[in-house]
């Protein structure tokens, strides 16, 4: 009877108490294997002994897991944590990630940190960024400056991606181009061909799967600058932009001053121009040229007005002299 009770207690212990075990591997040394639980703090699967995560096994993850040196993933906040002396920067994007969704950001502690968008320093670090662009986070102290992380937000239709080198610790699962499954490398994806891409990849440490669905368009705007001479840099009359699409955006500087394109898409005034045309995918073309002085409508009116003034002065002078002679 005592043996039977002891056996029952062992079974009860194994079924109800083992799931509450905590796996706390240090994760400081890399043995070269694919140890997805290194640095994990949380529940263990009572049957496999592996950490419970939100990956393919469908479990509910808690705690944090080490992704790479100095970077962990927090299952509760769904953010990657980047440690720095004096504090921590957290965001929902891994270092080097390309995505179409907004990125959530959080700061903990006081330290020197700055975020850049497309190479330009931002006034402050917001709680979220969603505009397309390349974001870089830098930290520094009295002795050095270090890049903490970077990521790129792209539109659903984009021409800014030619190759995606996955973040450290991530591997590809499947890639579809125009609905057809395509073989690709484990750590990089080629986006040089135009088309609709559906990429699924995962973090080896967390087993969380990520998706990147984009339409790749590398074709620049098909705009023609009518009126330019063969050298392409000068014109002796108006220059008209033809081939503009409805979603194209045109930026123009005239003699170093920003102007807007007229309704007829013509540039008429003589002077120096720099034109940039950007399509919805972010592809662009730019052109610099000079319109030389020529007789346009305004010039003709000005000349006629000048001639009329001269004639008026001559007539007035003639009449005044004639009156003097009569006297």
């Amino acid at each position: 009877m005592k043996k039977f009770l002891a056996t029952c207690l062992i079974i009860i212990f194994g079924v109800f108490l083992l799931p509450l075990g905590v796996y706390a591997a240090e994760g400081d040394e890399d043995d070269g294997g694919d140890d997805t639980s290194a640095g994990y703090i949380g529940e263990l699967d009572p049957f496999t002994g592996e950490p419970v995560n939100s990956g393919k096994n469908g479990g509910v993850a808690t705690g944090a897991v080490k992704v790479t040196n100095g970077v962990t993933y927090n299952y509760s906040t769904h953010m990657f944590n980047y440690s720095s002396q004096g504090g921590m920067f957290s965001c929902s994007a891994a270092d080097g990630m390309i995505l179409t969704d907004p990125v959530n950001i959080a700061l903990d502690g006081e330290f020197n940190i700055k975020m850049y968008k497309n190479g330009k320093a931002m006034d402050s670090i917001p709680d979220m960024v969603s505009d397309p662009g390349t974001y870089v986070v830098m930290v520094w102290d009295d002795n050095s400056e270090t890049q903490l992380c970077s990521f790129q937000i792209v539109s659903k239709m984009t021409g800014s991606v030619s190759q995606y080198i996955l973040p450290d610790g991530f591997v590809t699962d499947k890639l579809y181009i125009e609905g057809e499954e395509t073989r690709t490398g484990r750590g990089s994806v080629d986006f040089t061909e135009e088309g609709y891409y559906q990429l699924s990849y995962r973090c080896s440490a967390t087993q969380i799967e990520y998706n990147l669905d984009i339409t790749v368009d590398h074709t620049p705007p098909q705009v023609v600058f009518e009126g330019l001479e063969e050298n392409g840099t000068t014109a002796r009359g108006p220059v008209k932009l033809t081939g503009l699409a409805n979603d194209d955006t045109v930026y123009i500087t005239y003699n170093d001053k920003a102007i807007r394109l007229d309704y007829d898409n013509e540039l008429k005034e003589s002077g120096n121009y720099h034109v940039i045309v950007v399509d919805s995918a972010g592809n662009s073309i730019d052109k610099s040229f000079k319109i030389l002085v020529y007789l346009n409508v305004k010039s003709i009116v000005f000349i006629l007005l000048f001639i009329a003034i001269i004639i008026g002065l001559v007539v007035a002078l003639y009449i005044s002299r004639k009156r003097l002679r009569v006297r």
Side-chain angles (χ1 to χ4, degrees):
M1 186 65 180
K2 291 183 179 181
K3 291 183 178 180
F4 175 77
L5 291 175
T7 304
C8 291
L9 289 175
I10 293 173
I11 293 174
I12 293 172
F13 177 85
V15 173
F16 293 100
L17 299 182
L18 185 58
L20 300 177
V22 175
Y23 184 94
E26 291 295 329
D28 294 332
E29 297 181 1
D30 186 5
D31 58 4
D34 185 16
D35 185 4
T36 62
S37 60
Y40 177 77
I41 300 176
E43 289 185 80
L44 294 177
D45 189 298
F47 303 103
T48 65
E50 294 294 324
V52 176
N53 55 50
S54 58
K56 295 181 179 180
N57 295 329
V60 177
T62 59
V65 61
K66 175 183 175 183
V67 178
T68 59
N69 289 334
V71 181
T72 60
Y73 180 82
N74 189 303
Y75 285 106
S76 300
T77 62
H78 308 291
M79 286 189 177
F80 294 89
N81 301 322
Y82 301 86
S83 298
S84 179
Q85 185 175 1
M88 179 180 295
F89 172 83
S90 302
C91 70
S92 55
D95 183 26
M97 184 174 280
I98 298 176
L99 62 169
T100 59
D101 299 321
V103 174
N104 296 315
I105 297 171
L107 291 176
D108 184 21
E110 295 183 2
F111 55 107
N112 297 320
I113 185 168
K114 195 78 173 178
M115 176 175 279
Y116 296 81
K117 177 187 176 184
N118 297 330
K120 185 178 179 180
M122 301 176 67
D123 295 333
S124 61
I125 297 181
D127 295 332
M128 183 188 72
V129 290
S130 58
D131 294 335
T134 299
Y135 296 84
V136 178
V137 179
M138 303 292 296
V139 294
W140 70 92
D141 55 25
D142 295 336
N143 300 317
S144 63
E145 186 178 30
T146 306
Q147 178 175 311
L148 202 59
C149 76
S150 67
F151 55 88
Q152 183 180 3
I153 300 177
V154 299
S155 303
K156 291 288 186 179
M157 177 178 288
T158 181
S160 61
V161 180
S162 296
Q163 185 181 32
Y164 184 13
I165 299 177
L166 300 184
D168 290 343
F170 287 72
V171 294
T172 58
D173 279 337
K174 290 183 179 180
L175 173 65
Y176 293 88
I177 303 177
E178 296 293 346
E180 295 185 5
E181 187 171 359
T182 306
R183 295 184 63 182
T184 186
R186 293 278 288 174
S188 65
V189 180
D190 183 79
F191 286 98
T192 54
E193 291 186 11
E194 295 187 339
Y196 179 55
Y197 286 74
Q198 295 170 284
L199 170 66
S200 62
Y201 60 104
R202 57 186 167 83
C203 175
S204 299
T206 65
Q207 291 300 303
I208 295 176
E209 189 172 279
Y210 298 84
N211 296 294
L212 180 64
D213 299 340
I214 56 175
T215 298
V216 175
D217 175 14
H218 294 302
T219 303
Q222 302 299 296
V223 178
V224 178
F225 294 81
E226 294 182 354
L228 290 178
E229 297 183 344
E230 291 185 1
N231 58 19
T233 58
T234 57
R236 297 184 182 275
V239 174
K240 186 171 185 177
L241 279 64
T242 61
L244 286 171
N246 292 332
D247 54 1
D248 287 344
T249 304
V250 182
Y251 303 94
I252 304 173
T253 55
Y254 168 62
N255 292 335
D256 297 326
K257 190 175 182 180
I259 63 171
R260 290 187 176 185
L261 188 64
D262 291 340
Y263 68 93
D264 56 0
N265 296 338
E266 271 194 342
L267 303 172
K268 304 179 181 70
E269 301 297 327
S270 58
N272 296 307
Y273 290 86
H274 183 69
V275 181
I276 301 175
V277 183
V278 184
D279 64 17
S280 59
N283 302 302
S284 65
I285 61 169
D286 64 276
K287 195 78 172 176
S288 295
F289 56 89
K290 182 177 183 178
I291 297 180
L292 304 176
V293 176
Y294 69 100
L295 291 178
N296 56 16
V297 175
K298 287 185 178 180
S299 299
I300 293 173
V301 171
F302 177 79
I303 292 173
L304 291 176
L305 182 61
F306 179 77
I307 293 173
I309 292 172
I310 296 298
I311 292 174
L313 290 174
V314 170
V315 171
L317 183 61
Y318 173 77
I319 293 174
S320 63
R321 285 186 176 183
K322 190 173 182 180
R323 286 178 178 176
L324 288 174
R325 288 177 184 177
V326 171
R327 290 179 182 179

